[in-house]
Amino acid sequence: MAIEQRVYKAQAGVAWFKAAWHIFKMQPGTFILMHAVMGGLGLVAIFFPILQIAAGLATPFLTAGFYQAILLRQQGKKITVAELFAPFGQVGRRLGLFRLGLYQIGAGILLALLASWLFKDAIAVLEQYAAQPEIAAQHLLNNLHFSNIVLFISALSFYLMCFAYAVPLVYFHGTANLLEVFKASLSTFWHNMAAIGVYGAIFTGLMLISVPLSFIPLFFIMPICYIAFFVSFQAMFMSTIVVAAPTNDMPTSSGRFDA
């Protein structure tokens, strides 16, 4: 059975960030620390390649834990960093998240192989002139083909759209069929292109603002963006969306999931 979803206009992208800000400011320190833990896992995988598979498998669980913490905070409950690890112990969702991690690792490997094939000449130039960056830059431009760049960006975009809403769909919706999950995620991007485009534009703008400030604002920006993305999931796949904070400054949510 197809996964039901809703369609929103462009201004919804702004509403998602407004709702995210109201949620974030309830417990900003906790959300910042939770995202720092998630970011730390990525750094560990970079510096210790042997742990990359373990980190890839753990990422869907931690992401689901972050989303669950957002939901709990919406419902007026205090949250702790320990919420990140709750999905590891939840029977009925672990297998789906584990399989999703495997699929994501496999897709990432395919993307890396595609990049190696499309840009093999450019990679060879960088290796040959590693000690001469100016010469390398000149030769690099001659070995980059526009068609290859377009092809890789298209493949990367397809990958991102497939997996964007996969974690919350598996965790909250309880969808076991990953093909249906990927189709629903792709369909959501297609039908809500304007709203998601506004979200992406705001996200990009915030990232650019952080550049001259040594990326320090990312400690605040990234948790807010994650929260806004989960609110977008609520908008399109759940019965109630948080669009504004009511008078008591506490966003509400139906909480109607089989989680």
Side-chain angles (χ1 to χ4, degrees):
M1 184 175 66
I3 300 172
E4 294 183 3
Q5 56 191 268
R6 295 174 179 81
V7 178
Y8 286 86
K9 295 182 179 179
Q11 60 266 31
V14 178
W16 300 337
F17 271 97
K18 288 181 179 179
W21 168 246
H22 285 295
I23 297 168
F24 174 78
K25 69 181 183 180
M26 293 174 192
Q27 281 189 244
T30 304
F31 282 120
I32 290 172
L33 187 55
M34 291 174 76
H35 192 271
V37 171
M38 296 171 66
L41 179 67
L43 291 177
V44 168
I46 292 175
F47 290 109
F48 301 95
I50 194 173
L51 299 176
Q52 285 183 352
I53 294 179
L57 293 174
T59 296
F61 289 87
L62 297 179
T63 304
F66 190 88
Y67 290 157
Q68 177 68 19
I70 297 170
L71 178 62
L72 292 174
R73 185 64 267 193
Q74 286 177 305
Q75 295 171 343
K77 300 175 183 178
K78 291 289 184 179
I79 58 173
T80 66
V81 178
E83 306 295 346
L84 278 177
F85 306 99
F88 286 100
Q90 293 179 347
V91 178
R93 294 292 185 269
R94 290 181 298 191
L95 180 58
L97 292 174
F98 179 78
R99 289 175 58 227
L100 182 60
L102 286 177
Y103 274 68
Q104 199 155 12
I105 291 172
I109 292 174
L110 290 177
L111 270 178
L113 292 174
L114 177 64
S116 298
W117 177 64
L118 291 175
F119 306 119
K120 57 181 181 296
D121 293 336
I123 294 173
V125 167
L126 291 176
E127 292 175 349
Q128 182 178 355
Y129 298 101
Q132 301 171 291
E134 293 183 359
I135 297 177
Q138 294 175 358
H139 287 280
L140 186 63
L141 292 176
N142 295 328
N143 287 276
L144 283 176
H145 303 289
F146 180 74
S147 58
N148 289 351
I149 295 174
V150 171
L151 179 58
F152 180 74
I153 291 176
S154 299
L156 178 62
S157 299
F158 184 79
Y159 164 81
L160 293 175
M161 289 187 290
C162 278
F163 286 95
Y165 290 103
V167 169
L169 281 171
V170 169
Y171 187 68
F172 292 107
H173 197 279
T175 306
N177 188 333
L178 290 184
L179 180 60
E180 290 297 324
V181 166
F182 298 146
K183 286 170 59 180
S185 189
L186 281 170
S187 176
T188 297
F189 270 83
W190 176 258
H191 293 291
N192 288 279
M193 193 175 299
I196 296 176
V198 170
Y199 169 89
I202 295 173
F203 174 81
T204 302
L206 292 173
M207 292 289 287
L208 292 175
I209 290 172
S210 72
V211 173
L213 300 174
S214 302
F215 295 101
I216 294 176
L218 290 183
F219 285 102
F220 302 91
I221 291 172
M222 293 307 297
I224 293 173
C225 290
Y226 263 69
I227 296 170
F229 195 76
F230 179 68
V231 173
S232 77
F233 168 77
Q234 290 180 304
M236 290 177 280
F237 293 102
M238 293 164 64
S239 59
T240 302
I241 174 179
V242 180
V243 293
T247 54
N248 64 354
D249 202 35
M250 177 65 69
T252 58
S253 175
S254 66
R256 294 172 55 189
F257 326 111
D258 178 23

